[in-house]
Amino acid sequence: MAKHAAVGWGHHHLQNRWLLALLLMLSVSTIIAFFMRAAFDSCDRNVSAAVDGIGSARNVIQASEKRTPQIAAAKPSPLSFMKSKVVLLVSHELSLSGGPLLLMELAFLLRSVGAEVYWITITKASETDEVTYSLEHKMLDRGVQVFPARGKEALDTALRADLVVLNTAVAGKWLDVVLKEDVHRVLPKVLWWIHEMRGHYFKLDYVMHLPFVSGAMIDSHVTTEYWKNRTQERLKIKMPDTYVVHLGNSKELMQVAEDSVAKRVLREHVRESLGVLNEDLLFALINSVSRGKGQDLFLRSFCEALQLIKEKKMQVPPLHAVIVGSDMTAQTKFEMELRDYVLQKKIQDRVHFVNKTLTVAPYLAAIDVLVQNSQARGECFGRITIEAMAFQLPVLGTAAGGTTEIVVNGTTGVLHPVGKAGVTPLAKNIVRLATHVERRLTMGKRGYERVKERFLEPHMAERIAGVLKEVLRKSKIKSAGRWNDKETDDREKNPGCSWLEAKKGVIEEFLCRGHDEMKQLLQRFVRE
């Protein structure tokens, strides 16, 4: 009996092991099917844009969310102190461009810690388009309340908010148009988040209130210095306390970037849709198509690189240029110039145009090198650069703007000059990376390591948390320095009320700044 029991146990144990193995196989196959379905769903909508135009933005967003489910944070958020705080976010527009998408990310970070978040968009089309509809519903689904930029609701929310974030310089016009005589009550709790690097944004109409807000937040050190110098020289106004906050990659993007199965499926499908082989080399510029982003100069460099390879009879896989961010309705003349150049140089089989999209992960998985070719002063930061580095891609970027604070020249990528002077250097850099596989892969790995060290969402949240704490502290002090109605009544009843008492909030703010000598003198003056 004992022997039979032992055999029965062994048989039962074997059945359990087979059952566990079967469940494991089913789980793995389900995960793979999940990624494949989401990847193909996304790519069918995005990559087909090269021929038929991009699918609806709503489907693009839904596919992205399916592919990258939310993961709970392992440790408390540095923004947890914002729980129950009322925050009003003011965006100049709601589109697929960098500024609005960054503000949306901030909205979701604040909502995740229990903040009460409201969103208003200053400039909206008369008829809601698919992009606006999709983005608004994405926010509503995450608990962000959306309402019109003008009207009593906007004014009441601004007055009761603990924090008001203005996004981009253009948003400054909203202050006077909506708040009017109440603008002075809101300025002490305003954080101005600036992303622009172009000179035409330096208008007094936009930034006349900039010196009086609690702080400005800018994405790079070079842009901060530019704003400080420009406002002083051109507008004769002084910047408020300004904080530099480098951005970070979202957890969703990092999840795809670190999943080899997802990347392989995306790479294969995108390349198939573009009509290129797995061994071909893809150099991509992923940015809204405009002259300032340098797509025209990139194509000239690419054409020159092809000529160099042909002249020197180099043995390299076929090279392709991919331009993601096309929008014929926005930049019709420039887009036609690009296509005419491609036809003139007879490289239409090597150049691929893809419509603007919210979901960049499929293209980052499919390409070999990112080209960041923004001209003039470059990008304020350039979020796509750190996204590409997360996918272990080397970056060929202009030596301007925030790119210089992201790319380590010669280590995670190679920099070249802006303008026509950069066409030949970029062409040579394309050839170097095309002919040196090991260098290309090593740069990509080092870029990924740099992202993990400083350009993740938790890094960004930590930096933003430090700014918000300081702005809330200063807002409280500035509010204390203004007379409320009761204090005004007391002053009228008692004309002898001292100047020092009336300015106590200003003095308290000064004392908090840590100027030791003046602090001691002022404290002695107050005591006397």
Side-chain angles (χ1 to χ4, degrees):
M1 293 291 292
K3 184 176 181 180
H4 177 73
V7 173
W9 177 88
H11 177 69
H12 189 67
H13 178 63
L14 188 61
Q15 283 184 323
N16 285 341
R17 289 178 61 185
W18 276 108
L19 181 60
L20 287 172
L22 180 60
L23 287 173
L24 180 60
M25 290 171 64
L26 286 171
S27 298
V28 172
S29 63
T30 301
I31 292 170
I32 293 174
F34 171 82
F35 275 114
M36 290 181 69
R37 178 180 177 181
F40 276 80
D41 190 30
S42 175
C43 291
D44 284 339
R45 295 184 178 103
N46 292 332
V47 183
S48 61
V51 180
D52 301 321
I54 198 168
S56 73
R58 187 184 315 118
N59 289 334
V60 171
I61 293 168
Q62 289 171 350
S64 176
E65 288 176 339
K66 287 178 184 178
R67 187 175 64 254
T68 55
Q70 295 288 321
I71 296 178
K75 60 181 181 179
S77 168
L79 290 163
S80 57
F81 67 93
M82 292 296 294
K83 182 178 181 180
S84 301
K85 291 284 193 297
V86 177
V87 182
L88 175 63
L89 306 178
V90 182
S91 182
H92 70 295
E93 65 179 15
L94 188 54
S95 67
L96 297 179
S97 57
L101 295 181
L102 276 173
L103 194 65
M104 281 180 62
E105 283 192 36
L106 177 59
F108 299 152
L109 285 172
L110 293 173
R111 282 294 302 138
S112 70
V113 297
E116 189 179 331
V117 183
Y118 298 85
W119 176 289
I120 59 177
T121 304
I122 299 173
T123 304
K124 294 181 70 174
S126 55
E127 295 184 4
T128 302
D129 60 14
E130 283 191 288
V131 171
T132 302
Y133 179 88
S134 297
L135 296 178
E136 283 188 348
H137 278 264
K138 184 181 177 77
M139 287 191 285
L140 291 170
D141 290 343
R142 301 282 287 272
V144 179
Q145 301 183 55
V146 181
F147 51 76
R150 302 192 183 197
K152 189 174 186 301
E153 196 171 15
L155 175 60
D156 291 345
T157 304
L159 292 175
R160 72 182 183 88
D162 298 291
L163 175 71
V164 177
V165 180
L166 294 184
N167 198 41
T168 75
V170 182
K173 296 187 74 172
W174 173 84
L175 291 169
D176 282 317
V177 171
V178 175
L179 302 182
K180 298 178 181 177
E181 66 272 11
D182 290 310
V183 67
H184 68 282
R185 299 173 60 187
V186 177
L187 290 177
K189 50 188 177 182
V190 168
L191 172 64
W192 211 319
W193 199 357
I194 296 172
H195 312 286
E196 295 93 338
M197 281 283 280
R198 304 289 180 261
H200 60 270
Y201 290 107
F202 290 91
K203 295 181 180 178
L204 206 55
D205 287 348
Y206 292 157
V207 297
M208 61 184 295
H209 293 297
L210 187 57
F212 310 108
V213 302
S214 276
M217 186 164 70
I218 302 181
D219 306 331
S220 65
H221 293 280
V222 65
T223 308
T224 299
E225 288 305 310
Y226 177 67
W227 268 85
K228 285 181 178 179
N229 295 335
R230 195 79 168 183
T231 50
Q232 182 67 42
E233 293 169 3
R234 175 178 286 195
L235 303 179
K236 307 302 180 186
I237 64 174
K238 186 179 179 181
M239 289 284 289
D241 288 342
T242 305
Y243 311 91
V244 175
V245 172
H246 283 160
L247 308 179
N249 286 328
S250 69
K251 294 176 182 177
E252 290 81 5
L253 182 123
M254 291 304 298
Q255 185 179 4
V256 179
E258 294 175 336
D259 190 300
S260 58
V261 174
K263 284 198 298 182
R264 178 170 53 79
V265 173
L266 290 171
R267 179 182 176 89
E268 290 174 358
H269 189 65
V270 170
R271 283 175 172 255
E272 181 183 351
S273 300
L274 293 175
V276 301
L277 301 177
N278 186 57
E279 59 268 21
D280 293 351
L281 293 178
L282 272 58
F283 292 76
L285 197 159
I286 305 176
N287 244 324
S288 299
V289 171
S290 69
R291 204 171 297 278
K293 301 300 183 181
Q295 285 89 355
D296 53 341
L297 299 178
F298 166 51
L299 288 179
R300 293 179 188 279
S301 296
F302 180 73
C303 191
E304 192 172 310
L306 294 178
Q307 191 64 32
L308 283 171
I309 290 171
K310 183 179 179 180
E311 289 174 359
K312 297 185 178 182
K313 298 180 180 179
M314 297 178 180
Q315 297 299 313
V316 296
L319 269 60
H320 294 261
V322 183
I323 295 177
V324 181
S326 180
D327 184 354
M328 288 294 291
T329 61
Q331 295 284 339
T332 307
K333 183 180 178 181
F334 184 62
E335 293 259 13
M336 291 306 300
E337 286 180 19
L338 297 180
R339 285 162 172 76
D340 288 345
Y341 178 81
V342 170
L343 291 173
Q344 176 192 339
K345 295 296 181 180
K346 299 179 180 179
I347 54 175
Q348 56 266 37
D349 60 328
R350 298 293 190 96
V351 179
H352 312 269
F353 293 91
V354 180
N355 280 6
K356 184 184 293 186
T357 174
L358 180 69
T359 311
V360 298
Y363 304 101
L364 294 175
I367 67 176
D368 299 287
V369 179
L370 179 82
V371 178
Q372 175 61 281
N373 207 40
S374 294
Q375 297 299 303
R377 298 176 187 87
E379 292 285 334
C380 178
F381 182 77
R383 185 72 169 279
I384 190 63
T385 305
I386 60 172
E387 291 176 333
M389 289 162 65
F391 279 77
Q392 301 192 33
L393 299 175
V395 178
L396 299 179
T398 45
T403 305
T404 60
E405 297 175 25
I406 302 171
V407 176
V408 180
N409 193 26
T411 301
T412 65
V414 188
L415 301 177
H416 58 272
V418 298
K420 294 179 181 178
V423 170
T424 297
L426 175 56
K428 291 179 178 178
N429 291 338
I430 289 173
V431 173
R432 287 192 188 101
L433 290 190
T435 54
H436 292 83
V437 179
E438 191 59 37
R439 179 185 299 176
R440 193 170 69 239
L441 296 177
T442 300
M443 283 184 170
K445 289 177 182 176
R446 289 176 177 170
Y448 171 75
E449 292 167 359
R450 184 164 169 80
V451 164
K452 295 289 282 187
E453 288 173 2
R454 62 182 66 193
F455 296 125
L456 297 178
E457 184 179 284
H459 299 140
M460 181 176 73
E462 190 77 42
R463 291 188 278 263
I464 290 177
V467 175
L468 297 191
K469 283 180 181 178
E470 184 65 11
V471 168
L472 290 174
R473 183 190 67 81
K474 290 173 61 180
S475 172
K476 187 175 181 181
I477 291 171
K478 287 187 176 184
S479 296
R482 293 196 325 269
W483 281 318
N484 57 29
D485 294 338
K486 181 178 183 302
E487 290 172 330
T488 304
D489 292 340
D490 291 342
R491 190 173 75 256
E492 290 173 351
K493 293 176 183 177
N494 181 14
C497 180
S498 71
W499 172 89
L500 188 61
E501 177 63 20
K503 297 297 181 183
K504 63 183 179 181
V506 178
I507 295 173
E508 286 172 7
E509 179 180 5
F510 184 83
L511 293 176
C512 289
R513 289 180 176 271
H515 304 288
D516 292 334
E517 291 184 3
M518 290 301 295
K519 183 176 178 179
Q520 292 173 4
L521 288 171
L522 197 53
Q523 284 175 331
R524 191 190 319 160
F525 174 70
V526 171
R527 286 196 298 270
E528 294 173 353

